[in-house]
């Protein structure tokens, strides 16, 4: 299985990718090729192990000839590289190029090379809806964002490469992933990091709208675990939700973070945004039954680890003891 294997991790310099590489090293992977365009100018010094190789490469249209040799001898491909939602809003062409054309080239190269298994980081954005009951893999996806459409296209392309090139894969629809090392961007995945950072600076948390919007937050360690289970599982060529299976409103989330931080500052309520009245929660019964996989980290445990990591980073940056 993973122990003694050769792995290729695309997006291995990103937030989830870095955690995945660390865990693959812990589980005894023999060699890990970290493929990343380093779009954000990231420093990949994180993986300094002699078992890691860095490949600066941009997955895109027509990259197949250059990519194909890097798949020789690879057992597992973990495909996490993507242009994400916030960036896709600004640059839809880049998202289509990386997430659709790039995914096709990689899946085809992996199929032709006869790898053991490819795991694809899909997204809850494939569902498209913002309200209603928990998302189930049995419902017909209806994304309207370029990002969601590109992720759904990625799933379809993997199915195509399975039938045409014999690729074995699993696609995981990750929900809102958080944990140490996530940078405080603008999206709702980064609310936890953003709120922790504000509280550390003695600033009040910011809530858009009434704070009743509900998200499914999953700790990055559990996402990594699901990703590795999906590589080793007897279940194959399928799609699975990867979430906590329960929803948390932003108001409750902020209150949990404040309790962990020991700082109860009254929140600033900003304008409503597109998430007003929304609820996006995963039904994880399929993953629990068939992979099988279940999350192990509670929200309190995960937020505590995130807060502690940010606290120690801040101490290092300021030279505090
Ligand atoms: N973070 C979340 O909450 C979340 C939720 C659902 C799905 N996902 C998916 O999980 C995966 C990892 O997410 P993340 O939060 O670690 O993202 P991230 O932005 O931190 O990492 C993505 C990495 O991919 C690289 N990349 C982008 N385009 C590339 C290209 N064309 N070729 C090669 N490398 C490229 C970037 O340089 C970056 O290092 C992504 O596919 C994302 O769509 C994430």
């Amino acid at each position: 299985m993973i122990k003694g294997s050769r792995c290729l991790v695309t997006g291995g310099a990103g937030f989830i990718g870095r955690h995945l590489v660390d865990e693959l090293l812990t589980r005894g992977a023999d060699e890990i090729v970290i493929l990343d365009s380093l779009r954000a100018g990231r420093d990949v010094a994180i993986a300094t192990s002699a078992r890691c190789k860095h490949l600066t490469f941009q997955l895109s249209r027509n990259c197949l000839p250059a990519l194909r040799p890097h798949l020789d001898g690879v057992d597992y491909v973990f495909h996490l590289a993507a242009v994400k939602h916030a960036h896709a809003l600004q640059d839809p062409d880049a998202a289509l190029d990386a997430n659709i054309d790039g995914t096709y080239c990689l899946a085809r190269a992996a199929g032709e090379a006869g790898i053991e298994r490819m795991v694809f980081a899909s997204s809850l954005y494939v569902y498209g809806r913002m309200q209603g009951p928990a998302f189930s893999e049995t419902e017909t996806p209806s994304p309207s964002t370029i990002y969601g459409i590109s992720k759904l296209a990625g799933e379809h392309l993997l199915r195509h490469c399975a039938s045409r090139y014999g690729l074995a894969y699993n696609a995981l629809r990750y929900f809102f992933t958080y944990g140490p090392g996530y940078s405080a961007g603008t999206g709702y995945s980064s609310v936890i990091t953003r709120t922790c950072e504000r509280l550390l600076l003695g600033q009040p948390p910011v809530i858009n709208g009434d704070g009743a919007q509900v998200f499914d937050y999953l700790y990055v360690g559990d996402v990594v675990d699901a990703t590795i289970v999906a590589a080793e599982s007897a279940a194959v060529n399928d799609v699975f939700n990867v979430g906590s299976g329960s929803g948390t409103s932003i108001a409750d989330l902020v209150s949990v973070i404040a309790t962990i931080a020991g700082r109860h500052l009254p929140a600033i309520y900003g304008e409503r945004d597109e998430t007003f009245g929304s609820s996006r929660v995963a039904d994880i019964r399929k993953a629990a039954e068939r992979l099988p996989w279940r999350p192990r980290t509670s929200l309190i445990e995960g937020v505590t680890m995130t807060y502690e990591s940010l606290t120690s980073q801040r101490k290092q940056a300021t030279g505090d003891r």
Side-chain angles (χ1 to χ4, degrees):
M1 291 283 188
I2 293 298
K3 190 170 169 54
S5 69
R6 290 182 81 189
C7 301
L8 185 141
V9 180
T10 77
F15 162 55
I16 301 172
R18 279 176 285 154
H19 284 274
L20 175 62
V21 168
D22 285 347
E23 187 59 25
L24 291 171
L25 287 170
T26 303
R27 297 198 194 189
D30 218 26
E31 183 180 291
I32 303 172
V33 178
I34 299 171
L35 182 156
D36 201 294
S37 61
L38 303 181
R39 183 176 52 77
R42 287 193 171 95
D43 179 1
V44 286
I46 36 106
T48 48
S49 164
R51 287 183 279 149
C52 290
K53 286 188 179 163
H54 299 286
L55 176 62
T56 304
F57 190 98
Q58 176 134 2
L59 295 167
S60 62
R61 180 169 299 182
N62 302 329
C63 73
L64 184 62
L67 181 64
R68 180 62 188 80
H70 296 292
L71 275 296
D72 285 335
V74 167
D75 300 302
Y76 296 101
V77 171
F78 298 93
H79 180 32
L80 277 64
V83 170
K84 296 207 297 182
H85 179 56
H87 182 200
L89 289 172
Q90 310 301 322
D91 193 348
D93 287 343
L96 296 170
D97 190 35
N99 301 0
I100 298 182
D101 294 310
T103 296
Y104 172 65
C105 291
L106 181 68
R108 183 170 164 179
E112 287 179 357
I115 65 148
E116 194 73 30
R117 182 75 55 88
M118 174 165 167
V119 181
F120 172 52
S122 187
S123 166
L124 76 140
Y125 275 78
V126 302
Y127 288 108
R129 66 182 168 88
M130 299 275 282
Q131 281 160 343
F135 298 124
S136 160
E137 297 90 339
T138 54
E139 74 180 73
T140 305
S142 186
S144 56
T145 59
I146 289 289
Y147 174 67
I149 290 165
S150 71
K151 286 291 183 181
L152 185 58
E155 293 181 6
H156 290 313
L157 288 165
L158 289 173
R159 201 171 58 251
H160 165 76
C161 289
S163 72
R164 180 92 196 263
Y165 304 103
L167 176 71
Y169 74 94
N170 278 313
L172 304 182
R173 293 176 179 167
Y174 295 165
F175 278 63
F176 297 90
T177 307
Y178 72 94
Y182 201 36
S183 55
T186 50
Y188 275 83
S189 291
S190 61
V191 165
I192 293 175
T193 299
R194 230 168 32 239
T195 305
C196 287
E197 284 184 349
R198 286 185 67 85
L199 291 176
L200 272 168
L201 293 169
Q203 298 169 350
V206 176
I207 293 175
N208 295 326
D210 60 3
Q213 60 272 54
V214 168
F215 298 86
D216 183 326
Y217 284 102
L218 185 62
Y219 185 66
V220 65
D222 285 324
V223 173
V224 163
D225 188 47
T227 305
I228 295 175
V229 169
E232 297 182 329
S233 172
V236 67
N237 297 351
D238 212 339
V239 175
F240 299 92
N241 286 338
V242 171
S244 73
S246 56
T248 306
S249 73
I250 289 297
D252 286 348
L253 181 65
V254 164
S255 159
V256 165
I257 299 170
T259 302
I260 288 165
R263 296 184 187 199
H264 291 276
L265 302 169
I268 297 171
Y269 284 83
E271 294 285 304
R272 294 175 175 186
D273 62 12
E274 73 289 350
T275 67
F276 184 77
S278 66
S279 176
R280 285 180 281 173
V281 179
D283 178 334
I284 55 170
R285 283 175 295 180
K286 183 176 172 187
E289 285 160 18
R290 300 206 202 152
L291 279 175
W293 165 85
R294 281 175 204 281
R296 283 184 286 215
T297 315
S298 70
L299 186 69
I300 290 176
E301 288 167 338
V303 171
T304 302
M305 287 189 271
T306 308
Y307 186 77
E308 284 173 354
S309 152
L310 286 164
T311 307
S312 72
Q313 266 176 37
R314 190 168 147 69
K315 278 185 182 161
Q316 276 172 12
T318 58
D320 290 357
R321 295 201 171 266

